[in-house]
Amino acid sequence: TRGRSQTRPAQGKTTHTVPSQSATARSALNRSDAALARAKELHRAGRLVEAEAAYLQALQANASNVDALQLTGALYQQAGHNDRAVQFLSRADQLDPNSPETVHNLAVSLGELGQLEESARRFEQALALAPDYALAWKNSGIILQRLGRLDEAIEHFRRAFQLDSDVPGAHSALLFCLNHSSRASPESGFAEHRRWGQHHERQLPAAARHENRPDPDRRLRIGYLSSDFREHPVGRNVLPLLSHHDHARFEIFCYAELGKQDGLTERFRGDADHWRVTRGLSDAEVAACIRDDGIHVMVYLGGHFDENRPSVATCRPAPVQVSMHGGATTALDEMDFWLTDAVLHPPEDAGGTTERFTEELFRLPNFYAWPTPDDAPPVSALPAEDNGFVTFASFNKPCKINAAVVDLWSRVLSAAPGAHLMLKFKNHWDCPTLRDKVLGRFEANGVPAGRIDLISAQDTFRDHLACYHKADIGLDPFPFAGATTTFQALWMGVPVISLMGDRFITRMGGSLSAQVGLCDLAAESDDAFVEQAVALAADLPRLAELRPTLRQRLMDSPLCDGPAYARNVEDAFRAMWDARAGGKDRAS
């Protein structure tokens, strides 16, 4: 994937040879080299199926062709077949253990398979071989973040950016990681975002301006740029919007920065009037495409998450530019609006927000929307009634469960004798260092490990949701609160206690709970969080009453009303455009 894998084949000699060879051996080596050269050409042309066949042909002729092993592994990694990538890269590493690129790519695939500790070890090996390997510093930071080693991850991201300010995604990865850290202040986070913005704005092309006239009543062309038009939380969040656009009033363009596609990608493609592939293009080239399409309102999805590209906005390819689902400011002078709501960013008459940003806030009636899950199991009876104790749960990423979160949840468990806590995220809790770190922190706080249930499973979506049958109450992490996890918990009849902070990223769970009438479960302080969690755990009649009704409450709420949500967002885009047509264009 972009900015993740890297292979630089050795120049000239591509095979390991012995001093004396038979004619048959020489012929095999020649056939291997010829097939490898053909495979490289096909790979560069994006003809991956044919490239795969040619790589395998090269290896059939010479199983010790290190270049062919490296590049076959890189191809499988690019296609998302990381188990196969590991097979070929491991063989290449055995034959040539001093290749930092091979070790790096092996580490990336191991990380994608959830083998976090082995991935971290391999990254250490790659950096020992090549201390100035910027991409390895960045990608090792991603694994350290997944392991909950946030301070180390932040330093690795900084090191990558220092070595190469243009290494793909390093600075964005740093900003994303800061969202998880309870030790990073809002002020330092904004300052880092501003440094990112200034770095990219210095590269603003002088002639890269749109030429759209601000006619007020035209059919608007809306562009969406994202790496998440696929099975992904952001993809699921924007699906109700793109599925319900009024195509008589709005012409929809999707700019897809996709490394891999799935069934949801095809739904997005069908919902768009125009589909553009941006992968492999520079920011200036993407901006030129947007400008040539005559986009009126350009929406940059996902901020610094994944492989999204808000930096394209620095080229000002559209008259109105909007940030959506980024979780924090883009800190770009060329970004006009940030979509939000009155819970995520309270207006002045409700106390206001202290969060710093460069955009103008545009509050929707509700920021979040989801499609109703197609394959969810039914809601179960309250498990506490059979267990004799309450089970709290969080299915968020382990990197969100930082030391401050564990300390606060320990207070909850200490004040709710007999209660258990269930943690689940893919297969990550199989990782010994993660388990030991979290269980050790709970035990240091006086909570025995026997009260913490760590669940590891690479299960189906339906089976994942079925794990909520064992949960009574959800606990929201901080400062990076849950959004998709909160929605899923509510869908399965599990109310969620949230700690409301002073930034968008800290208030997401509370925004969802407010839409289903559970404002009382959004706490404004640590003490209130503990009190509300313990009080709800002691109120089994309320839990039993809530559980079978939450799904219907969600379905009846704005969170699941795709058509109304689309109209609200369209009205926002029209208001932004009308403001520009009225002479309020920030970019003019």
Side-chain angles (χ1 to χ4, degrees), residues 24-45:
T24 301
R26 287 195 300 272
S27 175
L29 293 175
N30 290 337
R31 290 198 308 275
S32 181
D33 287 347
L36 177 60
R38 185 169 64 256
K40 289 178 180 178
E41 291 180 4
L42 292 167
H43 198 164
R44 281 192 292 268

Side-chain angles (χ1 to χ4, degrees), residues 318-399:
V320 177
Q321 305 205 105
V322 183
S323 175
M324 187 177 188
H325 286 293
T329 182
T330 63
L332 291 172
D333 291 336
E334 297 291 338
M335 193 71 76
D336 303 314
F337 296 98
W338 180 2
L339 281 179
T340 183
D341 66 29
V343 177
L344 296 165
H345 286 119
E348 291 302 319
D349 59 4
T353 179
T354 59
E355 183 164 15
R356 297 185 64 187
F357 43 85
T358 57
E359 306 88 347
E360 180 179 342
L361 297 181
F362 199 108
R363 295 179 179 87
L364 298 170
N366 56 291
F367 175 73
Y368 284 106
W370 271 273
T372 57
D374 298 326
D375 192 28
V379 175
S380 71
L382 188 69
E385 293 179 335
D386 289 331
N387 292 335
F389 58 83
V390 164
T391 300
F392 295 101
S394 176
F395 293 174
N396 286 274
K397 297 176 181 179
C399 60

Side-chain angles (χ1 to χ4, degrees), residues 352-577:
T353 179
T354 59
E355 183 164 15
R356 297 185 64 187
F357 43 85
T358 57
E359 306 88 347
E360 180 179 342
L361 297 181
F362 199 108
R363 295 179 179 87
L364 298 170
N366 56 291
F367 175 73
Y368 284 106
W370 271 273
T372 57
D374 298 326
D375 192 28
V379 175
S380 71
L382 188 69
E385 293 179 335
D386 289 331
N387 292 335
F389 58 83
V390 164
T391 300
F392 295 101
S394 176
F395 293 174
N396 286 274
K397 297 176 181 179
C399 60
K400 289 188 176 184
I401 303 173
N402 56 60
V405 169
V406 173
D407 291 347
L408 186 59
W409 291 358
S410 295
R411 290 179 57 191
V412 172
L413 292 171
S414 296
H420 283 226
L421 171 65
M422 179 171 58
L423 303 178
K424 180 181 184 293
F425 184 79
K426 299 183 179 179
N427 65 342
H428 285 27
W429 291 112
D430 276 339
C431 177
T433 56
L434 264 179
R435 295 173 66 92
D436 293 347
K437 181 179 179 179
V438 168
L439 292 178
R441 186 89 183 187
F442 275 113
E443 288 183 319
N445 290 331
V447 179
R451 295 175 64 189
I452 312 298
D453 304 319
L454 301 180
I455 310 298
S456 291
Q458 292 282 38
D459 47 12
T460 65
F461 178 66
R462 181 181 178 86
D463 289 341
H464 170 71
L465 292 186
C467 288
Y468 281 108
H469 289 165
K470 304 174 184 177
D472 299 290
I473 302 170
L475 295 181
D476 201 9
F478 58 90
F480 200 147
T484 296
T485 51
T486 300
F487 177 83
Q488 291 174 353
L490 294 170
W491 188 259
M492 295 305 299
V494 179
V496 181
I497 310 290
S498 297
L499 178 62
M500 303 292 278
D502 55 2
R503 289 169 284 164
F504 182 113
I505 206 78
T506 67
R507 302 176 66 86
M508 298 186 296
S511 175
L512 269 64
S513 292
Q515 294 294 337
V516 292
L518 297 177
C519 296
D520 63 308
L521 301 187
E524 298 292 342
S525 68
D526 289 4
D527 290 345
F529 183 95
V530 174
E531 291 171 5
Q532 291 171 12
V534 173
L536 187 59
D539 193 350
L540 293 189
R542 186 185 181 197
L543 286 173
E545 178 185 1
L546 281 174
R547 195 172 185 90
T549 65
L550 278 178
R551 181 174 294 186
Q552 189 61 50
R553 289 168 73 166
L554 267 179
M555 293 177 67
D556 294 339
S557 79
L559 296 174
C560 291
D561 190 344
Y565 182 74
R567 299 294 85 75
N568 289 336
V569 176
E570 289 171 349
D571 289 346
F573 292 158
R574 177 62 66 179
M576 295 171 188
W577 178 258

